[in-house]
């Protein structure tokens, strides 16, 4: 079983819709979770970090964490074509020590005009 | 405020050769992590340097080694290159336990 799993997609949504990206993790000791956006040919860019159960909102982005279900999600409201990219979910096994991140394989999002 | 920088951008090496990749962390950051990203995959953790020492290491062979300098910059060295080492090598910097920010990466091609 992979430590962090994501659907590879592609996930296609129309412009203006809500895009929902999901991620599950296997290590119950994981405490910190991150969403990165990666455009084709570029490096990952940090979008959100979340450490506590519940929702965390930043502009059009909302990260959701459910540690009991070992589930993390990212919602993108009012999706724009410029949001088309691969979204990487990452878990940090050791709390707040800036240690290694374990990444999923990424979900490709396509926002159609 | 300069972000994370990496050099070179692209590199082509022959199997069996050695390569050195360089990384300068974001201003104010003291920790550097290296990742390898194969095409279509998420980044895989190689190792992390803090206070000039390797603090954590992923499942990579000893052919992969690194160094951190007093100014927090870092090098990744790979010996005896294999075709399978072809990938995007990413450096990420952070301060203490803070979020990690990636540099633009070095694309290594081994022929």
């Amino acid at each position: 079983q992979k430590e962090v799993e994501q659907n590879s997609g592609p996930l296609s949504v129309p412009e203006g819709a809500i895009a929902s990206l999901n991620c599950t993790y296997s290590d119950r000791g994981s405490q910190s979770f991150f969403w990165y956006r990666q455009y084709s040919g570029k490096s990952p860019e940090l979008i959100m970090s979340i450490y506590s159960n519940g929702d965390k909102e930043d502009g059009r982005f909302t990260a959701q964490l459910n540690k009991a279900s070992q589930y993390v999600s990212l919602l993108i409201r009012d999706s724009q074509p410029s949001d088309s990219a691969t979204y990487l979910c990452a878990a940090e096994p050791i709390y707040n020590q800036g240690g290694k991140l374990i990444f999923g394989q990424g979900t490709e999002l396509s926002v159609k005009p | 405020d300069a972000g994370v920088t990496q050099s070179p951008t692209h590199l082509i090496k022959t199997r069996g050769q050695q390569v050195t990749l360089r990384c300068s962390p974001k201003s104010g950051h003291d920790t550097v992590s290296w990742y390898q990203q194969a095409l279509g995959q998420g980044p895989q953790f190689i190792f992390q340097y803090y206070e000039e020492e390797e603090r954590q290491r992923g499942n990579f062979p000893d052919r992969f080694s690194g160094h951190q300098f007093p100014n927090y910059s870092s090098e990744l060295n790979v010996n005896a290159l294999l075709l399978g080492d072809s990938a995007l090598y990413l450096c990420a910097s952070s301060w203490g336990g803070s979020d990690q920010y990636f540099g633009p990466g070095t694309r290594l091609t081994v022929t």
Side-chain angles (χ1 to χ4, degrees):
Chain A
Q1 182 187 7
K2 292 182 181 178
E3 294 180 80
V4 176
E5 292 202 57
Q6 299 179 252
N7 291 326
S8 59
L11 173 66
S12 184
V13 300
E15 183 175 357
I18 296 175
S20 178
L21 302 159
N22 305 313
C23 171
T24 59
Y25 60 96
S26 60
D27 181 2
R28 285 194 172 275
S30 297
Q31 295 289 336
S32 305
F33 303 89
F34 306 85
W35 283 100
Y36 287 84
R37 176 176 63 197
Q38 187 171 27
Y39 292 112
S40 181
K42 301 296 185 181
S43 63
E45 173 193 6
L46 181 65
I47 301 174
M48 299 273 289
S49 56
I50 186 166
Y51 309 103
S52 304
N53 277 329
D55 295 358
K56 179 181 178 182
E57 187 175 317
D58 183 0
R60 295 188 295 114
F61 298 97
T62 299
Q64 300 174 317
L65 173 60
N66 183 325
K67 290 185 179 179
S69 300
Q70 297 176 243
Y71 179 88
V72 191
S73 66
L74 179 70
L75 301 178
I76 306 174
R77 289 182 299 280
D78 188 25
S79 295
Q80 301 297 310
S82 58
D83 294 326
S84 298
T86 296
Y87 289 79
L88 296 162
C89 172
E92 183 180 320
I94 301 173
Y95 178 70
N96 204 29
Q97 291 189 17
K100 74 174 185 180
L101 298 180
I102 300 173
F103 284 86
Q105 68 179 43
T107 298
E108 183 184 351
L109 172 66
S110 177
V111 181
K112 302 296 187 184
Chain B
D1 181 21
V4 183
T5 60
Q6 292 186 245
S7 63
T9 304
H10 296 89
L11 204 51
I12 300 175
K13 289 287 189 178
T14 303
R15 192 171 43 183
Q17 286 188 317
Q18 178 265 343
V19 68
T20 297
L21 310 181
R22 295 176 176 82
C23 170
S24 290
K26 185 178 169 68
S27 178
H29 286 184
D30 59 2
T31 303
V32 172
S33 303
W34 286 93
Y35 293 81
Q36 179 196 67
Q37 187 176 25
L39 204 58
Q41 302 297 316
Q44 283 200 308
F45 178 81
I46 303 174
F47 43 53
Q48 183 182 80
Y49 278 85
Y50 172 70
E51 292 188 341
E52 302 181 50
E53 291 194 357
E54 184 181 289
R55 182 159 72 172
Q56 290 190 50
R57 189 178 182 92
N59 294 326
F60 279 80
D62 292 345
R63 298 186 297 109
F64 289 78
S65 63
H67 189 78
Q68 186 179 35
F69 299 94
N71 66 353
Y72 307 118
S73 67
S74 177
E75 288 183 349
L76 164 65
N77 301 292
V78 187
N79 295 322
L81 285 167
L82 304 174
L83 296 179
D85 294 332
S86 295
L88 179 67
Y89 287 85
L90 296 161
C91 166
S93 76
S94 58
W95 178 80
S98 69
D99 300 343
Q100 296 185 30
Y101 294 86
F102 285 93
T106 294
R107 174 73 62 186
L108 173 65
T109 302
V110 182
T111 62

